[in-house]
Amino acid sequence: MRLAEPMDQASGLRQLFACDDAFRALGVLSTDARAGARAAAALARALGRRGQRVLVLDEARPPHDVGAALGLVARQGLIDAPARGLHAVARAAGDGVAVLAAPDGADLLATLPEHTLQALVEDWRAREEAPEWLVVNGADGAGERATLAFTAGTRVLVLPAERTRLADAYALMKRAHVDWSGESWLVLVDGAEAAAARALYASLRDTARRFLGVDAAFIAALPRRPGGAATVEAPLLDALADELLARPLAEQVSFEQYWQRMWLFSRMRCQRASGRTDHGQRRTHR
């Protein structure tokens, strides 16, 4: 006899989100918000050019957000989704790419009841095919705020071109690895030509191997061009798409299951933060 599912706060979601659709998520992390947004936009456009359906969940705030990098103006976002639906607040960016503004995304998801999350995902499914890729732009990862990009099995660490930024980039990588180990790491260097980018990557790779046991792979360098991500040339976008599509699927999850994962991550982070706050208050009252 099979045991019943444990009746905890996620049991209803586990039963609901039982799809078998293949789905991939990329978590884009950078200590520089502009570089992270530019990279997330380039990755989304690269996949969209190959016919992939892509949703960008953008935790950055204007002006250094993916929407701005793609020439979009944020009018609504995740905060408006419970009233209007996920599909209604995502903005089309062309080539099969949509952008959903989600500043403070983890905090927002933590406040949603299970039935609201269920309704949001069902509404998307009823209106349109689910995305094949979710690109989560984690904004400026130097702070301590939780980012939904940590939940992705594959993370893209965006390195600014300055060698002085390597220590901060490694600290972000370590924080993400400890928080949620993931499946694989990719490195993209922003603002450098190929040779300089490879040298920066090699320094980070060696440190990550030695201290974290992480073997990160180099995927591309984005040379600095006037005008931001929209000016990334087509051959480089195609090379990025080839690199991503050739990689093995890190995990078998569906669009629905991934929203469940992000919701659970957000709730757990919120509960841990509340526990620390309560503990601090008790110590104060002593």
Side-chain angles (χ1 to χ4, degrees):
M1 178 182 296
R2 185 182 176 192
L3 295 176
E5 287 277 356
M7 293 302 295
D8 59 18
Q9 65 181 7
S11 61
L13 286 169
R14 289 195 195 98
Q15 295 169 21
L16 168 69
F17 298 154
C19 305
D20 295 323
D21 298 343
F23 172 82
R24 301 189 188 198
L26 294 175
V28 179
L29 297 166
S30 179
T31 57
D32 183 292
R34 187 194 300 270
R38 183 169 182 257
L43 291 165
R45 290 181 62 230
L47 292 165
R49 282 170 55 87
R50 291 300 177 87
Q52 301 290 295
R53 299 186 302 275
V54 185
L55 175 63
V56 180
L57 188 65
D58 188 13
E59 295 184 277
R61 297 180 181 277
H64 303 315
D65 60 330
V66 178
L70 294 174
L72 301 174
V73 177
R75 293 187 174 89
Q76 295 178 321
L78 184 61
I79 193 171
D80 304 295
R84 297 183 55 82
L86 279 176
H87 185 273
V89 297
R91 296 160 292 158
D95 291 330
V97 177
V99 180
L100 177 58
D104 301 327
D107 291 342
L108 286 171
L109 283 185
T111 66
L112 295 183
E114 293 181 25
H115 65 84
T116 301
L117 182 68
Q118 174 181 344
L120 289 175
V121 180
E122 286 182 341
D123 175 69
W124 187 294
R125 278 286 194 181
R127 294 171 180 268
E128 189 175 332
E129 287 185 276
E132 296 163 290
W133 290 80
L134 183 69
V135 177
V136 186
N137 178 36
D140 183 348
E144 290 301 314
R145 183 176 294 279
T147 169
L148 297 172
F150 283 2
T151 62
T154 299
R155 286 85 177 270
V156 180
L157 182 66
V158 183
L159 284 180
E162 299 83 9
R163 183 167 288 274
T164 55
R165 308 289 293 277
L166 276 174
D168 289 340
Y170 170 74
L172 174 58
M173 186 181 196
K174 179 180 178 181
R175 180 177 159 228
H177 180 71
V178 170
D179 208 59
W180 191 302
S181 62
E183 299 288 335
S184 61
W185 281 91
L186 308 175
V187 175
L188 187 153
V189 180
D190 177 78
E193 301 296 334
R198 287 277 185 181
L200 287 169
Y201 156 71
S203 296
L204 179 75
R205 176 201 61 202
D206 294 345
T207 303
R209 280 177 179 172
R210 180 177 179 185
F211 294 106
L212 298 180
V214 170
D215 201 1
F218 179 83
I219 55 168
L222 295 183
R224 200 174 300 280
R225 299 283 187 266
T231 63
V232 177
E233 298 173 354
L236 180 51
L237 291 175
D238 291 340
L240 273 174
D242 289 342
E243 177 70 35
L244 293 172
L245 293 170
R247 298 188 66 81
L249 189 65
E251 52 195 348
Q252 293 288 341
V253 296
S254 68
F255 180 61
E256 290 88 346
Q257 288 168 330
Y258 199 80
W259 278 97
Q260 175 195 14
R261 175 187 294 187
M262 292 191 295
W263 182 81
L264 290 171
F265 170 82
S266 301
R267 294 294 292 264
M268 289 188 294
R269 290 296 296 255
C270 181
Q271 289 170 359
R272 288 202 296 268
S274 297
R276 286 195 297 270
T277 300
D278 294 344
H279 180 67
Q281 290 173 344
R282 286 196 296 271
R283 291 184 64 182
T284 299
H285 291 314
R286 289 180 199 171

